[in-house]
Amino acid sequence: MKKFLVLFLMFVSVFAVIGFSDILTIWIGGQVAELDDTWDMIINKFTQETGIKVEVQLFGFAIYYDKLLTALEAGQGPDLAFADLGGWVPTFAKKGWLTPIDDKLAVWNGTEQIWENLWPTVTYAGRKYGLPWYTDCRLLLYNKNMLDQAGLDGDNPPETWEELVYQAMKITNPKKRIYGYGVSGTKTEHATLGYLIFLYEAGGKFLTDDYSAAAFNTPEV
């Protein structure tokens, strides 16, 4: 039975300082689970350098969180796991399911490669429980032709909230099923991610800094 889970995103150079023996079990979920060639390369290199065998389980995104949660609640689960978003870290760390890795990071020479603003996603109560591996960004894409056809300047897309609202209203023609702004309305994380762009740009946030309460009752939100 596994007694701990290190929520840890995978770099071979960090693996080498963990000090595991026997067989290392790793769970990988989400879109990155489809990168078979990448994981084979990482795992083969790790095994060659350390002599430690690795067992990997891949999960689809829709079931991964529930699988991980169920295993941890039962006192089981992997030695390491690829996790989604920083929200998992405070939830799992607060329950005592994770092992902090500050001492491992202190002797790893790769920390300077990671942007400072990513570390809070794997930090809880001042301790680091994971390693940020990748991030992405969201863009406001616009249709130049639609702006021109609405009498706007396609070479000057909106730069402020007011301009965005104004130009979106100018483009909108419900009778022709033309709308000036589109947002995902699915009951998935995509709608949340789309909202996050505006939330944080306006200075709002979902939770308080200590993750103890919701932070929605603010003018920014």
PDB file of all heavy atoms in Angstrom, residues 7 65 84-93 120-122 207 211:
ATOM      1  N   LEU A   7       2.860  14.720  -5.547  1.00  0.00           N
ATOM      2  CA  LEU A   7       2.228  15.307  -6.717  1.00  0.00           C
ATOM      3  C   LEU A   7       3.320  16.012  -7.501  1.00  0.00           C
ATOM      4  O   LEU A   7       3.748  17.097  -7.162  1.00  0.00           O
ATOM      5  CB  LEU A   7       1.157  16.302  -6.278  1.00  0.00           C
ATOM      6  CG  LEU A   7       0.154  16.719  -7.351  1.00  0.00           C
ATOM      7  CD1 LEU A   7      -0.647  15.512  -7.801  1.00  0.00           C
ATOM      8  CD2 LEU A   7      -0.768  17.786  -6.826  1.00  0.00           C
ATOM      9  N   TYR A  65      -9.394  12.367 -12.291  1.00  0.00           N
ATOM     10  CA  TYR A  65      -9.486  12.969 -10.957  1.00  0.00           C
ATOM     11  C   TYR A  65     -10.214  12.038  -9.984  1.00  0.00           C
ATOM     12  O   TYR A  65      -9.759  11.833  -8.854  1.00  0.00           O
ATOM     13  CB  TYR A  65     -10.204  14.312 -11.024  1.00  0.00           C
ATOM     14  CG  TYR A  65     -10.340  14.986  -9.677  1.00  0.00           C
ATOM     15  CD1 TYR A  65      -9.285  15.714  -9.136  1.00  0.00           C
ATOM     16  CD2 TYR A  65     -11.518  14.882  -8.937  1.00  0.00           C
ATOM     17  CE1 TYR A  65      -9.397  16.333  -7.901  1.00  0.00           C
ATOM     18  CE2 TYR A  65     -11.641  15.496  -7.698  1.00  0.00           C
ATOM     19  CZ  TYR A  65     -10.578  16.220  -7.188  1.00  0.00           C
ATOM     20  OH  TYR A  65     -10.692  16.821  -5.954  1.00  0.00           O
ATOM     21  N   ASP A  84      -3.501  17.910 -12.769  1.00  0.00           N
ATOM     22  CA  ASP A  84      -4.023  19.005 -13.563  1.00  0.00           C
ATOM     23  C   ASP A  84      -4.274  20.217 -12.680  1.00  0.00           C
ATOM     24  O   ASP A  84      -4.960  20.114 -11.665  1.00  0.00           O
ATOM     25  CB  ASP A  84      -5.331  18.590 -14.244  1.00  0.00           C
ATOM     26  CG  ASP A  84      -5.852  19.671 -15.165  1.00  0.00           C
ATOM     27  OD1 ASP A  84      -5.156  20.013 -16.131  1.00  0.00           O
ATOM     28  OD2 ASP A  84      -6.948  20.181 -14.899  1.00  0.00           O
ATOM     29  N   LEU A  85      -3.693  21.335 -13.061  1.00  0.00           N
ATOM     30  CA  LEU A  85      -3.936  22.599 -12.377  1.00  0.00           C
ATOM     31  C   LEU A  85      -3.433  22.593 -10.936  1.00  0.00           C
ATOM     32  O   LEU A  85      -3.224  21.563 -10.319  1.00  0.00           O
ATOM     33  CB  LEU A  85      -5.428  22.964 -12.387  1.00  0.00           C
ATOM     34  CG  LEU A  85      -6.072  23.076 -13.771  1.00  0.00           C
ATOM     35  CD1 LEU A  85      -7.540  23.431 -13.630  1.00  0.00           C
ATOM     36  CD2 LEU A  85      -5.381  24.113 -14.624  1.00  0.00           C
ATOM     37  N   GLY A  86      -3.268  23.789 -10.399  1.00  0.00           N
ATOM     38  CA  GLY A  86      -2.772  23.916  -9.044  1.00  0.00           C
ATOM     39  C   GLY A  86      -3.825  23.653  -7.989  1.00  0.00           C
ATOM     40  O   GLY A  86      -3.511  23.431  -6.827  1.00  0.00           O
ATOM     41  N   GLY A  87      -5.107  23.674  -8.379  1.00  0.00           N
ATOM     42  CA  GLY A  87      -6.171  23.479  -7.400  1.00  0.00           C
ATOM     43  C   GLY A  87      -6.137  22.128  -6.727  1.00  0.00           C
ATOM     44  O   GLY A  87      -6.656  21.962  -5.619  1.00  0.00           O
ATOM     45  N   TRP A  88      -5.528  21.144  -7.365  1.00  0.00           N
ATOM     46  CA  TRP A  88      -5.456  19.815  -6.762  1.00  0.00           C
ATOM     47  C   TRP A  88      -4.487  19.796  -5.587  1.00  0.00           C
ATOM     48  O   TRP A  88      -4.679  19.034  -4.641  1.00  0.00           O
ATOM     49  CB  TRP A  88      -4.996  18.791  -7.797  1.00  0.00           C
ATOM     50  CG  TRP A  88      -5.957  18.556  -8.906  1.00  0.00           C
ATOM     51  CD1 TRP A  88      -7.010  19.362  -9.273  1.00  0.00           C
ATOM     52  CD2 TRP A  88      -5.978  17.451  -9.807  1.00  0.00           C
ATOM     53  NE1 TRP A  88      -7.661  18.829 -10.350  1.00  0.00           N
ATOM     54  CE2 TRP A  88      -7.059  17.657 -10.709  1.00  0.00           C
ATOM     55  CE3 TRP A  88      -5.183  16.329  -9.957  1.00  0.00           C
ATOM     56  CZ2 TRP A  88      -7.362  16.764 -11.732  1.00  0.00           C
ATOM     57  CZ3 TRP A  88      -5.482  15.434 -10.980  1.00  0.00           C
ATOM     58  CH2 TRP A  88      -6.558  15.648 -11.846  1.00  0.00           C
ATOM     59  N   VAL A  89      -3.444  20.593  -5.658  1.00  0.00           N
ATOM     60  CA  VAL A  89      -2.404  20.544  -4.631  1.00  0.00           C
ATOM     61  C   VAL A  89      -2.941  20.935  -3.254  1.00  0.00           C
ATOM     62  O   VAL A  89      -2.774  20.182  -2.292  1.00  0.00           O
ATOM     63  CB  VAL A  89      -1.199  21.409  -5.021  1.00  0.00           C
ATOM     64  CG1 VAL A  89      -0.212  21.512  -3.860  1.00  0.00           C
ATOM     65  CG2 VAL A  89      -0.506  20.809  -6.233  1.00  0.00           C
ATOM     66  N   PRO A  90      -3.571  22.117  -3.076  1.00  0.00           N
ATOM     67  CA  PRO A  90      -4.059  22.452  -1.733  1.00  0.00           C
ATOM     68  C   PRO A  90      -5.098  21.471  -1.216  1.00  0.00           C
ATOM     69  O   PRO A  90      -5.130  21.158  -0.024  1.00  0.00           O
ATOM     70  CB  PRO A  90      -4.644  23.861  -1.908  1.00  0.00           C
ATOM     71  CG  PRO A  90      -4.862  24.023  -3.361  1.00  0.00           C
ATOM     72  CD  PRO A  90      -3.792  23.218  -4.031  1.00  0.00           C
ATOM     73  N   THR A  91      -5.944  20.967  -2.120  1.00  0.00           N
ATOM     74  CA  THR A  91      -6.971  20.006  -1.714  1.00  0.00           C
ATOM     75  C   THR A  91      -6.350  18.733  -1.162  1.00  0.00           C
ATOM     76  O   THR A  91      -6.708  18.247  -0.088  1.00  0.00           O
ATOM     77  CB  THR A  91      -7.879  19.658  -2.906  1.00  0.00           C
ATOM     78  OG1 THR A  91      -8.506  20.850  -3.390  1.00  0.00           O
ATOM     79  CG2 THR A  91      -8.958  18.662  -2.486  1.00  0.00           C
ATOM     80  N   PHE A  92      -5.389  18.187  -1.890  1.00  0.00           N
ATOM     81  CA  PHE A  92      -4.755  16.933  -1.480  1.00  0.00           C
ATOM     82  C   PHE A  92      -3.774  17.139  -0.321  1.00  0.00           C
ATOM     83  O   PHE A  92      -3.680  16.299   0.578  1.00  0.00           O
ATOM     84  CB  PHE A  92      -4.017  16.309  -2.660  1.00  0.00           C
ATOM     85  CG  PHE A  92      -4.914  15.847  -3.775  1.00  0.00           C
ATOM     86  CD1 PHE A  92      -4.384  15.483  -5.004  1.00  0.00           C
ATOM     87  CD2 PHE A  92      -6.289  15.778  -3.608  1.00  0.00           C
ATOM     88  CE1 PHE A  92      -5.207  15.045  -6.040  1.00  0.00           C
ATOM     89  CE2 PHE A  92      -7.120  15.354  -4.629  1.00  0.00           C
ATOM     90  CZ  PHE A  92      -6.578  14.986  -5.853  1.00  0.00           C
ATOM     91  N   ALA A  93      -3.030  18.247  -0.342  1.00  0.00           N
ATOM     92  CA  ALA A  93      -2.044  18.494   0.715  1.00  0.00           C
ATOM     93  C   ALA A  93      -2.732  18.715   2.064  1.00  0.00           C
ATOM     94  O   ALA A  93      -2.232  18.262   3.099  1.00  0.00           O
ATOM     95  CB  ALA A  93      -1.188  19.700   0.360  1.00  0.00           C
ATOM     96  N   PRO A 120       3.153  29.113  -7.147  1.00  0.00           N
ATOM     97  CA  PRO A 120       1.982  29.046  -6.260  1.00  0.00           C
ATOM     98  C   PRO A 120       1.002  27.938  -6.593  1.00  0.00           C
ATOM     99  O   PRO A 120       0.258  27.486  -5.718  1.00  0.00           O
ATOM    100  CB  PRO A 120       1.330  30.434  -6.448  1.00  0.00           C
ATOM    101  CG  PRO A 120       2.467  31.329  -6.810  1.00  0.00           C
ATOM    102  CD  PRO A 120       3.364  30.477  -7.676  1.00  0.00           C
ATOM    103  N   THR A 121       0.999  27.457  -7.837  1.00  0.00           N
ATOM    104  CA  THR A 121       0.062  26.399  -8.211  1.00  0.00           C
ATOM    105  C   THR A 121       0.387  25.065  -7.557  1.00  0.00           C
ATOM    106  O   THR A 121      -0.468  24.168  -7.519  1.00  0.00           O
ATOM    107  CB  THR A 121       0.031  26.207  -9.742  1.00  0.00           C
ATOM    108  OG1 THR A 121       1.304  25.734 -10.197  1.00  0.00           O
ATOM    109  CG2 THR A 121      -0.297  27.517 -10.447  1.00  0.00           C
ATOM    110  N   VAL A 122       1.609  24.905  -7.073  1.00  0.00           N
ATOM    111  CA  VAL A 122       1.997  23.643  -6.432  1.00  0.00           C
ATOM    112  C   VAL A 122       2.433  23.873  -4.986  1.00  0.00           C
ATOM    113  O   VAL A 122       3.118  23.047  -4.396  1.00  0.00           O
ATOM    114  CB  VAL A 122       3.129  22.934  -7.215  1.00  0.00           C
ATOM    115  CG1 VAL A 122       2.636  22.502  -8.581  1.00  0.00           C
ATOM    116  CG2 VAL A 122       4.352  23.842  -7.356  1.00  0.00           C
ATOM    117  N   LEU A 207     -10.632  32.144  -4.987  1.00  0.00           N
ATOM    118  CA  LEU A 207     -10.506  31.823  -3.568  1.00  0.00           C
ATOM    119  C   LEU A 207      -9.581  32.814  -2.873  1.00  0.00           C
ATOM    120  O   LEU A 207      -8.777  33.490  -3.515  1.00  0.00           O
ATOM    121  CB  LEU A 207      -9.949  30.406  -3.395  1.00  0.00           C
ATOM    122  CG  LEU A 207     -10.751  29.259  -4.005  1.00  0.00           C
ATOM    123  CD1 LEU A 207      -9.970  27.969  -3.918  1.00  0.00           C
ATOM    124  CD2 LEU A 207     -12.094  29.115  -3.309  1.00  0.00           C
ATOM    125  N   TYR A 211      -6.877  29.720   0.529  1.00  0.00           N
ATOM    126  CA  TYR A 211      -7.805  28.720  -0.006  1.00  0.00           C
ATOM    127  C   TYR A 211      -8.914  28.336   0.984  1.00  0.00           C
ATOM    128  O   TYR A 211      -9.560  27.308   0.838  1.00  0.00           O
ATOM    129  CB  TYR A 211      -7.059  27.435  -0.401  1.00  0.00           C
ATOM    130  CG  TYR A 211      -5.989  27.624  -1.448  1.00  0.00           C
ATOM    131  CD1 TYR A 211      -4.647  27.606  -1.092  1.00  0.00           C
ATOM    132  CD2 TYR A 211      -6.310  27.815  -2.790  1.00  0.00           C
ATOM    133  CE1 TYR A 211      -3.657  27.786  -2.051  1.00  0.00           C
ATOM    134  CE2 TYR A 211      -5.329  27.996  -3.741  1.00  0.00           C
ATOM    135  CZ  TYR A 211      -4.011  27.965  -3.376  1.00  0.00           C
ATOM    136  OH  TYR A 211      -3.016  28.148  -4.303  1.00  0.00           O
TER     137      TYR A 211
END
